Amino acid sequence: MRYSALSLVADALGLAPRVPAWRSPAPKPAYDVVIVGGGGHGLATAWTLAATYGITNVAVLEKGYIGSGNVGRNTTIIRSNYLLEGNNPFYELSLRLWERLERDLNFNAMVSQRGVANLWHTDGQRDAFRRRGNAMRMHGVDAEMWDVAQVRARLPFLDFDNARFPVRGALVQPRGGTVRHDAVAWGYARAASALGVDIIPHCEVTAIRRDGDRVTGVETTRGDILCDRLALATAGHSSRSAEMAGIRLPIETHVLQAFVSEGLKPLIPNVITFGAGHFYVSQSDKGGLVFGGDIDGWNSYAQRGGLATVEHVVEAGVAMMPGLSRVKLLRGWGGVMDMSMDGSPIIDRALANLYLNAGWCYGGFKATPASGLCFAHLIATGAPHAVATQFRLDRFDRGAALDEKGAGPFPNLH
Amino acid sequence: MASLIACPHCGPRPREEFSVRGDAAPLRPAPDAAPEAWLAYLHARENPRGPHREHWRHEGGCGRWLVVARDTATHEVFSVTDVQAAARSAAREGRE
Ligand SMILES: Cc1cc2nc3c(=O)[nH]c(=O)nc-3n(C[C@H](O)[C@H](O)[C@H](O)COP(=O)(O)OP(=O)(O)OC[C@H]3O[C@@H](n4cnc5c(N)ncnc54)[C@H](O)[C@@H]3O)c2cc1C
Ligand SMILES: [Zn+2]
């Protein structure tokens, strides 16, 4: 069924039958491509394989329910304000794909280009942001520098004259913004299913069958499944799934928390990031302030974090925006992510017919459409997509780390 | 992560007094070791779901480096050892 204004009216009047958004098939014994992980990246890959490359005999195997991983846990920020050559064109392609996502999928994902403002507080930070803004513009990406008067006019609630962290200006990407994260999972699942992809939840892959340099299939909690090509998109669990194929990755698994406040009248017009601590906030369409900060810092596979980090995040938030102290916190949660050794992702072939999509750290939501395109491109053609050539797994051995932050091989510092 | 860590020198202390460096398994290769050994030391991680040995420092207390053995899924702490004591007992057992 195609969603439209007409279908909405028909539905409201009870004239149209209610149909599930995607099919629930039993797993077949074999597929051309099996994708492990039904998060944003796995689903986007499946849809792109079917829609762009005509490969439809595809299954997406998800151990939980669709949307139970990071795709449904993130703070929904999208942007392409990257500095490095290897990153910027990829994230800009992703932003362009977000701009047409709802038409491509026929699904309302509430893509909202409300702008991302990165505050700066010192001269050194201004210079670094100016450099980044210039790098963005040279790649054809929108970037603006706001002086303090411009920031004041738009975001009057910030603590401008804080004695330690006065707000002096902001680097702004007007085309950045937010997207309703759950709708991204649902939209891709629905569109992929309509093209013949089998979406199979509650199906955990427990072993990978390997024959020399090839994989032949997987063992799952719903039986064995053979495949010609196997694609891993198991964000947060990539070390575990790669280990099933005997591969060790430059990745550690860490927990990141996020929070949402009670619903408020419209207050925060865009996405704001604090420059004097790690804190970022936006307001959802329901009115809740959605915010987060640093990862907890130690390896964790538990989808929950510690209270010390909650306190730290809230302190940073109140330092940036004192009014936050009067707002009630409604919920907090955690998600476990692949933290790679250079803070950048991996899209590569790991064995003859085993493909790897991993290492997205806390920034992979914005990458979802381009990750799906580049991963599908690699699986379908065997060659890396032009904007993903620096996401190779062997870059660590070549000394070609893609370290946007310059933090070195310390995953808990990226 | 547990909210208390039992420092061998200071006793049970709040987690906030400690800073974490990370996986204690990689050992610095000899200066003239092959590049592969150095690259693996820098980048390759076991990243287990379960028991894991890590370097922590009791920053807000005795200042000593510690080896904390804990579970990355349940957050249970199994043992906390001074890093030097851990190295000595490893040497005695013939590990590097
Ligand atoms: C709190 C938080 C905030 C974030 N905020 C942002 C943000 O604002 N902007 C941004 O760009 N990024 C953000 N991120 C990062 C982003 O969410 C992730 O990088 C991205 O969602 C990862 O890709 P995914 O959607 O495919 O992951 P997931 O949704 O986690 O998908 C992976 C799936 O694999 C499944 N799986 C694992 N092992 C197996 C197995 N053996 N068998 C079957 N299935 C398996 C998991 O159950 C999971 O559903 C945030 C992350 C967190 C945790
Ligand atoms: Zn101590």
Side-chain angles (χ1 to χ4, degrees):
Chain A
M1 184 176 105
R2 233 195 117 64
Y3 292 155
S4 65
L6 210 61
S7 78
L8 193 68
V9 173
D11 186 57
L13 298 176
L15 301 175
R18 287 260 165 121
V19 286
W22 59 87
R23 299 172 293 113
S24 300
K28 291 192 285 188
Y31 290 91
D32 292 344
V33 180
V34 163
I35 297 172
V36 187
H41 292 222
L43 295 165
T45 303
W47 176 75
T48 314
L49 278 174
T52 307
Y53 297 96
I55 302 174
T56 56
N57 187 19
V58 176
V60 177
L61 311 182
E62 164 55 47
K63 71 175 174 179
Y65 59 88
I66 296 299
S68 57
N70 293 335
V71 68
R73 293 168 184 268
N74 62 72
T75 41
T76 80
I77 300 168
I78 61 167
R79 57 186 173 85
S80 61
N81 54 0
Y82 280 73
L83 172 72
L84 298 181
E85 288 280 342
N87 276 326
N88 187 299
F90 171 85
Y91 288 101
E92 175 58 14
L93 173 63
S94 207
L95 197 51
R96 286 179 198 273
L97 294 172
W98 283 119
E99 286 170 339
R100 44 179 271 205
L101 177 95
E102 293 162 312
R103 269 165 293 152
D104 282 349
L105 301 183
N106 179 231
F107 202 86
N108 179 9
M110 295 160 65
V111 177
S112 165
Q113 294 182 286
R114 59 185 67 182
V116 173
N118 306 125
L119 304 178
W120 53 265
H121 311 263
T122 66
D123 291 354
Q125 229 171 8
R126 175 201 57 206
D127 295 348
F129 278 7
R130 186 159 283 161
R131 176 168 174 242
R132 176 149 37 133
N134 282 331
M136 290 162 64
R137 292 176 86 132
M138 285 164 70
H139 278 108
V141 179
D142 58 321
E144 293 174 5
M145 278 298 245
W146 286 358
D147 63 21
V148 70
Q150 288 170 290
V151 181
R152 248 183 220 281
R154 292 166 173 92
L155 313 172
F157 45 80
L158 299 177
D159 191 5
F160 285 90
D161 302 317
N162 183 300
R164 275 181 80 191
F165 315 119
V167 176
R168 308 281 300 278
L171 171 66
V172 180
Q173 183 179 23
R175 285 164 60 246
T178 59
V179 182
R180 167 100 199 270
H181 52 7
D182 301 310
V184 174
W186 301 334
Y188 274 121
R190 172 174 171 271
S193 173
L195 295 175
V197 172
D198 285 358
I199 312 279
I200 303 172
H202 306 294
C203 178
E204 179 172 358
V205 171
T206 52
I208 293 175
R209 295 228 184 111
R210 190 172 156 176
D211 179 12
D213 197 32
R214 297 187 63 80
V215 300
T216 54
V218 291
E219 295 171 19
T220 81
T221 49
R222 297 181 64 178
D224 297 354
I225 301 173
L226 301 177
C227 59
D228 292 337
R229 280 166 276 184
L230 182 64
L232 305 179
T234 52
H237 300 85
S238 296
S239 298
R240 304 280 48 83
S241 41
E243 191 195 38
M244 292 185 216
I247 295 165
R248 198 151 69 126
L249 297 178
I251 284 176
E252 286 184 0
T253 296
H254 286 257
V255 61
L256 177 67
Q257 306 189 57
F259 310 91
V260 66
S261 78
E262 60 186 325
L264 303 174
K265 290 266 170 60
L267 170 67
I268 299 184
N270 48 21
V271 179
I272 309 170
T273 72
F274 192 32
H278 204 173
F279 180 81
Y280 38 90
V281 62
S282 66
Q283 187 167 19
S284 80
D285 292 286
K286 271 197 297 193
L289 306 187
V290 181
F291 58 92
D294 274 322
I295 59 176
D296 275 35
W298 49 81
N299 293 41
S300 175
Y301 280 88
Q303 285 173 321
R304 60 179 191 281
L307 287 173
T309 304
V310 180
E311 191 173 18
H312 182 78
V313 169
V314 170
E315 276 170 3
V318 171
M320 184 184 97
M321 185 179 161
L324 258 191
S325 66
R326 307 289 295 272
V327 174
K328 289 192 188 70
L329 195 64
L330 206 61
R331 291 184 289 128
W333 61 91
V336 300
M337 309 157 309
D338 291 347
M339 294 301 295
S340 68
M341 286 290 159
D342 61 358
S344 295
I346 295 159
I347 300 181
D348 205 351
R349 205 177 61 167
L351 294 172
N353 61 345
L354 176 69
Y355 301 84
L356 183 66
N357 179 313
W360 289 98
C361 303
Y362 47 77
F365 176 66
K366 70 174 96 69
T368 305
S371 170
L373 172 58
C374 294
F375 201 34
H377 181 93
L378 176 70
I379 296 164
T381 69
H385 189 282
V387 298
T389 54
Q390 298 200 31
F391 296 163
R392 307 296 295 272
L393 179 55
D394 69 357
R395 68 176 183 269
F396 298 95
D397 295 344
R398 289 185 281 113
L402 195 57
D403 191 342
E404 186 80 20
K405 219 171 145 186
F410 297 96
N412 59 356
L413 298 185
H414 285 290
Chain B
M1 183 56 202
S3 58
L4 282 179
I5 295 178
C7 175
H9 308 292
C10 315
R13 307 293 306 171
R15 217 274 311 145
E16 289 87 320
E17 287 188 0
F18 299 79
S19 61
V20 58
R21 179 176 178 279
D23 196 345
L27 295 175
R28 184 182 284 263
D32 56 351
E36 291 73 29
W38 277 98
L39 291 165
Y41 165 70
L42 281 175
H43 300 131
R45 295 292 178 268
E46 209 55 59
N47 191 20
R49 185 183 194 283
H52 193 225
R53 292 173 78 250
E54 292 165 354
H55 284 139
W56 289 68
R57 184 168 174 265
H58 194 189
E59 218 167 48
C62 59
R64 293 291 294 178
W65 281 97
L66 308 168
V67 175
V68 176
R70 60 177 197 93
D71 191 301
T72 60
T74 64
H75 292 173
E76 181 183 357
V77 175
F78 305 122
S79 70
V80 185
T81 324
D82 187 279
V83 83
Q84 203 167 44
R88 284 191 183 129
S89 75
R92 268 197 301 277
E93 289 162 26
R95 286 185 278 142
E96 261 192 79

